Amino acid sequence: MVTFRTLGLRRNFSHSPQSFHAFESAAMMLDCLIIGGGPAGLLAAVYLGRYRRTVQVIDAGQSRAAKIPESHNYPGFFGIGGLDLLRRLRAQAEEYGAQLMSGSVTSLRKEGATFVGSCSGGDLEAQFVLLATGLVDHCPSIDGEPANCPSDAVRFCPICDGYEAIDRRVGVLGDVKAGCKKALFLRTYTKDVLLFLTDETIVDAESRKKLDEENVRIVGKIKQIKLATESSTVAVVTENGERHELDALYPALGCTVRSGLATALGASCTENGNLVVDDHQRTTVEALYAAGDVVTDLHQLSVAFGHAAIAATDIHNRLPPNPR
């Protein structure tokens, strides 16, 4: 259950995307509307709540962090699961008065200096908006599994969990540019790295030399990927019939950055879709901020938290004073 605190009232609603409820103060101007209930959005809500600002988080329930089996580089924890981390952050945000709502913002527009976010439960007005909408990783087709790569053996972030792959059998799936880069990085942790290329591009001499020096072997294109759930491994079969048993497969297939709400307002973005921000996490649209994976290609919890703290503090400082 999610508790909404509104003008001293308390109402309980089921926390599910199917049960979006507008709250009593839907017509009230928010100090900040946060779109995205992942680590960046929730920590920004904690900060703004502690600054005694009115803040509403809209969460579509699609945080990339929810797929983290266990993070070992999150400060202060010797391992914490993504779902547990999100649960703790939600509770902390609510403790300081942030309102959490399940649903999606379908459009975002400006009416003068006011942002209007359209949701299935109505419109929300805010002086500032923080986008923490993240991204969607592109996942290979895996036999018998949904397309969102749920397995411990299919991973996306060697910075996050490469240490746990020390001396294990690892594969990388991607094109020459992205695949080579990730494969070479993973040699930090294991000598057993295979590179499965997805394109017909000839590996340039410099990349080939680096791969040879690090004993990264390029194998044939993939025909089939199948998880062995009982052993938490993944079997990769190439088009020439070779079968490779791996402890981890790292796709390097790119991602889709969820920056559309901002770019529709004219916000600048990079070629990959990451929003361009300044040192205060301000986009090129006045009063529109962005934090986390929607901004950077260094997809780290600690980075998202840093963005959130910077953005929330700058928003607070730009709002009118709110003395007791």
Side-chain angles (χ1 to χ4, degrees), residues 263-278:
T263 56
L265 284 173
S268 297
C269 67
T270 67
E271 182 180 351
N272 293 332
N274 292 113
L275 293 173
V276 175
V277 296
D278 66 10

Side-chain angles (χ1 to χ4, degrees), residues 194-197 217-222 236 238 240 242 244:
L194 300 178
L195 175 57
F196 302 89
L197 291 177
R217 184 161 69 93
I218 299 176
V219 291
K221 293 181 68 175
I222 287 180
V236 176
T238 62
N240 62 6
E242 289 184 6
H244 302 274

Side-chain angles (χ1 to χ4, degrees), residues 65-296:
K67 298 178 182 178
I68 300 174
E70 194 169 67
S71 173
H72 295 269
N73 64 350
Y74 179 72
F77 287 86
F78 289 88
I80 182 170
L83 288 173
D84 186 23
L85 177 61
L86 291 172
R87 177 185 60 78
R88 291 168 181 254
L89 286 170
R90 283 193 291 266
Q92 190 175 11
E94 288 186 298
E95 177 66 24
Y96 296 111
Q99 301 167 17
L100 310 183
M101 184 179 287
S102 294
S104 299
V105 175
T106 55
S107 67
L108 184 65
R109 66 185 187 275
K110 288 198 81 172
E111 296 181 355
T114 300
F115 286 97
V116 180
S118 295
C119 315
S120 57
D123 288 345
L124 296 169
E125 297 183 349
Q127 296 184 64
F128 290 87
V129 169
L130 172 62
L131 282 182
T133 42
L135 56 81
V136 179
D137 293 295
H138 295 167
C139 186
S141 176
I142 301 174
D143 280 10
E145 295 292 336
N148 61 350
C149 294
S151 170
D152 290 353
V154 179
R155 307 174 183 177
F156 288 99
C157 180
I159 296 175
C160 306
D161 52 38
Y163 186 89
E164 279 64 50
I166 284 180
D167 295 334
R168 309 297 293 276
R169 301 163 299 175
V170 171
V172 174
L173 172 63
D175 61 20
V176 171
K177 181 178 179 180
C180 289
K181 181 179 179 181
K182 187 166 283 191
L184 290 170
F185 179 82
L186 280 161
R187 278 291 284 109
T188 305
Y189 303 104
T190 179
K191 297 178 181 178
D192 195 352
V193 179
L194 300 178
L195 175 57
F196 302 89
L197 291 177
T198 56
D199 60 5
E200 303 295 340
T201 304
I202 297 175
V203 181
D204 61 275
E206 183 180 358
S207 296
R208 173 72 71 173
K209 182 174 182 292
K210 289 180 180 178
L211 293 170
D212 288 343
E213 288 175 347
E214 298 296 336
N215 295 315
V216 174
R217 184 161 69 93
I218 299 176
V219 291
K221 293 181 68 175
I222 287 180
K223 177 181 179 181
Q224 181 188 46
I225 303 172
K226 188 173 180 61
L227 299 178
T229 54
E230 66 280 356
S231 58
S232 296
T233 61
V234 58
V236 176
V237 180
T238 62
E239 290 182 343
N240 62 6
E242 289 184 6
R243 180 184 176 91
H244 302 274
E245 297 286 342
L246 304 172
D247 296 298
L249 176 67
Y250 284 87
L253 304 177
C255 62
T256 298
V257 182
R258 295 192 183 106
S259 54
L261 289 172
T263 56
L265 284 173
S268 297
C269 67
T270 67
E271 182 180 351
N272 293 332
N274 292 113
L275 293 173
V276 175
V277 296
D278 66 10
D279 291 343
H280 300 285
Q281 301 302 127
R282 303 174 186 174
T283 72
T284 54
V285 173
E286 172 60 23
L288 178 64
Y289 290 68
D293 290 349
V294 73
V295 169
T296 178

Side-chain angles (χ1 to χ4, degrees), residues 28-45:
M28 182 183 72
M29 176 73 71
L30 295 163
D31 289 327
C32 184
L33 171 62
I34 298 176
I35 304 174
L42 290 172
L43 188 66

